Amino acid sequence: MRYVLKISYDGTDYAGWQCQKNAPSVQEKIELAVQNALGATLRVTGSGRTDAGVHAFGQVCHFDLDCTVPPEKMPDCLNLHLPPDIRVLEGWGADEGFDCNRSAKRKTYCYTLYENKREIPLLQRYAVRVDSAPSVEALQDKARLFEGEHDFKAFCASGSSVKTTVRTVYEVRVEESESFGVRVLKTYVTGNGFLYNMVRTMMGELLDLANGKRTEESLKRAFESGDRSLLGKTMPAKGLTLFHVEYR
């Protein structure tokens, strides 16, 4: 049977999703849980990589195993053998043609900022502090510039081996709320796929655009030339969460 799992994790103490030789990864912990719970040594396939320090609410993975555990009971079976910062939220079965990576149609990431003069420990683990942030209206106005099909080469960290850097961003949505009496901004980015550091670089550029430090013309040149120097800084990993993966 092909088991499919929805995973949530705090990525603070992990070197990302993918197994690493000299650092703990989320994939490694899940594979170890399968081994300890079910006695099976196998490879778990994720819907995509998350980088070191990046979190997930809706990561999806799958593995093939011939066992009697119903898919809907697999979360409870594996959670007994997982560390508290990783949890399986849902489980279901799929046919062999389903691949949680290749079958994914849309992914949504969420980047979280909060506005305060000093760090707040209760927010600091999952959000990035800024002294001040533009209005949600200004951010949303500039966010539209990233929507559509573009060559995001300038937004990709060096060393990537992808075949193409063209991606489609379907929506960038900015939401404002309040937590512990401070202003919180969440930016949701939905696309057909993302490059290494792409969303984090988009967030740095979005802040600069909304603050007037960069212009629509400079962003256009970055898309056309692929020149990383035309963009703002790459924001820290801890503000980023893989929120949702959609399938047909």
Side-chain angles (χ1 to χ4, degrees):
M1 175 182 289
R2 177 151 294 183
Y3 288 88
V4 186
L5 307 176
K6 178 181 176 181
I7 311 289
S8 177
Y9 51 85
D10 177 337
T12 304
D13 297 327
Y14 297 99
W17 162 264
Q18 190 173 28
C19 287
Q20 306 290 326
K21 290 183 178 180
N22 301 310
S25 71
V26 178
Q27 181 185 28
E28 171 196 343
K29 297 297 183 182
I30 294 174
E31 290 176 355
L32 184 60
V34 173
Q35 183 177 3
N36 291 336
L38 304 168
T41 301
L42 47 75
R43 178 50 50 98
V44 174
T45 300
S47 66
R49 303 178 184 179
T50 51
D51 302 333
V54 174
H55 316 292
F57 171 72
Q59 173 69 287
V60 180
C61 65
H62 77 259
F63 60 86
D64 295 328
L65 184 64
D66 183 14
C67 77
T68 59
V69 179
E72 65 273 15
K73 297 294 184 181
M74 190 60 75
D76 296 328
C77 179
L78 297 183
N79 284 339
L80 292 172
H81 300 272
L82 285 167
D85 51 5
I86 302 174
R87 280 293 178 267
V88 184
L89 302 181
E90 299 177 32
W92 62 94
D95 60 49
E96 293 184 0
F98 175 84
D99 184 297
C100 66
N101 181 280
R102 294 186 177 90
S103 301
K105 299 303 179 185
R106 295 157 64 108
K107 296 180 181 179
T108 298
Y109 280 87
C110 176
Y111 200 92
T112 307
L113 301 168
Y114 71 96
E115 184 181 83
N116 205 53
K117 291 183 179 180
R118 298 176 182 86
E119 294 179 350
I120 298 176
L122 295 178
L123 295 175
Q124 190 63 18
R125 194 173 180 91
Y126 307 109
V128 174
R129 185 195 67 82
V130 292
D131 289 330
S132 63
S135 69
V136 67
E137 291 81 12
L139 288 165
Q140 189 63 68
D141 178 62
K142 299 303 181 184
R144 64 179 173 78
L145 300 174
F146 298 96
E147 294 176 344
E149 184 180 88
H150 300 285
D151 187 340
F152 284 92
K153 181 180 180 181
F155 294 78
C156 180
S158 60
S160 175
S161 59
V162 294
K163 293 180 179 179
T164 176
T165 51
V166 175
R167 296 290 186 273
T168 299
V169 172
Y170 301 113
E171 181 185 34
V172 183
R173 185 178 77 257
V174 185
E175 295 183 357
E176 183 174 355
S177 61
E178 185 178 290
S179 183
F180 302 107
V182 303
R183 182 177 175 228
V184 175
L185 292 163
K186 291 182 177 292
T187 302
Y188 295 87
V189 184
T190 300
N192 64 351
F194 295 93
L195 304 168
Y196 180 44
N197 282 356
M198 176 175 157
V199 177
R200 291 162 58 192
T201 305
M202 283 177 61
M203 278 306 305
E205 180 68 5
L206 176 58
L207 287 172
D208 282 353
L209 286 165
N211 278 320
K213 295 181 179 179
R214 294 183 190 273
T215 66
E216 295 186 22
E217 182 59 33
S218 66
L219 176 61
K220 182 180 179 182
R221 292 201 306 271
F223 279 136
E224 292 173 346
S225 68
D227 185 353
R228 176 66 182 82
S229 68
L230 294 172
L231 300 175
K233 67 178 181 179
T234 299
M235 297 294 286
K238 65 180 179 179
L240 185 61
T241 299
L242 173 56
F243 184 69
H244 185 54
V245 183
E246 298 176 52
Y247 298 92
R248 181 169 295 172

